[in-house]
Amino acid sequence: MKIMITGSSGFIGSHLKERWKAIGHQIVELDRKEGKELKDISIDSNTDVVVHLAAWADVRASIERPNEYWDNNVTTTTNVQKICHKKEIQLLYASSSCIHAWHKSPYGISKKVNEETAYPGQTGLRFTTVYGEGARDTMMIGRLVRNEAKYATTHIRDFIHVEDVMNVIDLLLKKSVHILKPAYDVGTGKGNRVDYLANDICGRNLPVNKGDDCEAKDNTANIRPLQDLGWNPTINVVDYLKEKVGV
């Protein structure tokens, strides 16, 4: 299979790239870190699928830089959607659990627009909070493991490991586009309060606050549609943290 990955040097993209290369898929990479700008994208007609992961994903930063988030998350994704539709290439693209509270931030708005501009047969991946090796240094699970977190919030977060995310994407690629929904929540279906994970599980004794209003209070995924396709999560964040911090 010939697969184009945008954001191929990013967190999820780099994991997918290594997995798919190892089993013989032909991977076409597009990433700013490799000197390839998304605005200049060209997709060969013999491409089987495009997995579009290139986007900016910081909710709080989007408040300060809304125009840049529009340019990077909306303008580029709309172009990818149009090209794939015209060439009849399957498209899986990064959406977000922020779609359920899209009005709270420019980032959420950008993902809402992405789903509105998608064509039939194109599938949005509403990632919750993905963790694992290679995640951004600012992500909470890594900061808890490294004991770098300064505080914890009362937000309820559905933390999903990158391995389980890849298993979702692999499953969707094996299904006919005609049976896929326009978008899927991609999480574990179980939320945990951040302060519970920080203080009760990791024993960090961090101060607790309610967090920023621009963030959803609860991003727990509805994974029933994915379960109906035969998928279930395999890694529990509580077990992961206990192993990593030696509890």
Side-chain angles (χ1 to χ4, degrees):
M1 183 178 288
K2 184 174 182 179
I3 306 173
M4 171 177 275
I5 305 174
T6 75
S8 57
S9 296
F11 174 34
I12 299 173
S14 60
H15 280 273
L16 284 171
K17 176 177 63 178
E18 295 306 314
R19 172 183 282 200
W20 287 341
K21 281 185 175 181
I23 60 176
H25 289 314
Q26 180 183 353
I27 305 300
V28 179
E29 299 185 52
L30 195 153
D31 195 285
R32 179 174 291 177
K33 294 179 182 177
E34 305 297 327
K36 299 176 181 178
E37 294 286 345
L38 191 57
K39 65 181 181 180
D40 301 322
I41 189 171
S42 176
I43 306 174
D44 291 340
S45 296
N46 64 348
T47 301
D48 295 296
V49 62
V50 172
V51 180
H52 175 46
L53 302 173
W56 289 3
D58 190 316
V59 171
R60 280 168 285 188
S62 74
I63 300 290
E64 301 174 358
R65 300 150 66 190
N67 290 337
E68 294 178 46
Y69 270 74
W70 183 271
D71 290 340
N72 281 278
N73 290 6
V74 175
T75 303
T76 53
T77 298
T78 301
N79 187 43
V80 172
Q81 290 169 335
K82 287 180 179 178
I83 294 172
C84 288
H85 176 67
K86 181 177 180 180
K87 296 190 175 185
E88 298 183 340
I89 297 170
Q90 183 180 5
L91 172 64
L92 303 180
Y93 66 93
S95 185
S96 170
S97 59
C98 287
I99 194 74
H100 300 300
W102 60 268
H103 58 284
K104 287 180 172 286
S105 69
Y107 174 69
I109 291 170
S110 74
K111 294 305 177 180
K112 173 67 171 175
V113 174
N114 288 164
E115 293 197 13
E116 293 294 330
T117 58
Y119 291 86
Q122 299 180 345
T123 307
L125 305 170
R126 295 172 174 169
F127 300 127
T128 54
T129 309
V130 187
Y131 69 96
E133 183 180 352
R136 299 194 316 272
D137 289 341
T138 57
M139 298 302 287
M140 191 62 180
I141 296 301
R143 288 161 58 200
L144 288 178
V145 170
R146 298 187 300 270
N147 198 16
E148 295 175 354
K150 303 301 182 184
Y151 65 90
T153 71
T154 57
H155 289 135
I156 296 172
R157 290 289 172 261
D158 187 339
F159 292 97
I160 181 170
H161 195 276
V162 67
E163 290 288 331
D164 282 327
V165 169
M166 289 194 292
N167 292 340
V168 167
I169 295 173
D170 275 339
L171 175 68
L172 295 179
L173 290 183
K174 294 174 182 177
K175 302 295 183 180
S176 167
V177 296
H178 302 295
I179 70 167
L180 296 183
K181 295 182 179 298
Y184 289 90
D185 284 7
V186 181
T188 67
K190 182 177 181 180
N192 287 282
R193 273 180 48 151
V194 176
D195 60 328
Y196 164 75
L197 295 178
N199 295 333
D200 294 76
I201 299 302
C202 296
R204 298 307 189 200
N205 197 29
L206 297 176
V208 177
N209 64 53
K210 68 175 185 177
D212 295 331
D213 290 336
C214 64
E215 298 181 290
K217 296 299 181 185
D218 184 346
N219 77 340
T220 304
N222 172 17
I223 64 171
R224 175 64 64 182
L226 287 176
Q227 291 176 314
D228 290 343
L229 293 176
W231 176 87
N232 276 292
T234 62
I235 300 174
N236 182 288
V237 69
V238 172
D239 295 336
Y240 176 90
L241 284 171
K242 286 180 176 179
E243 177 182 350
K244 291 294 183 180
V245 303
V247 175

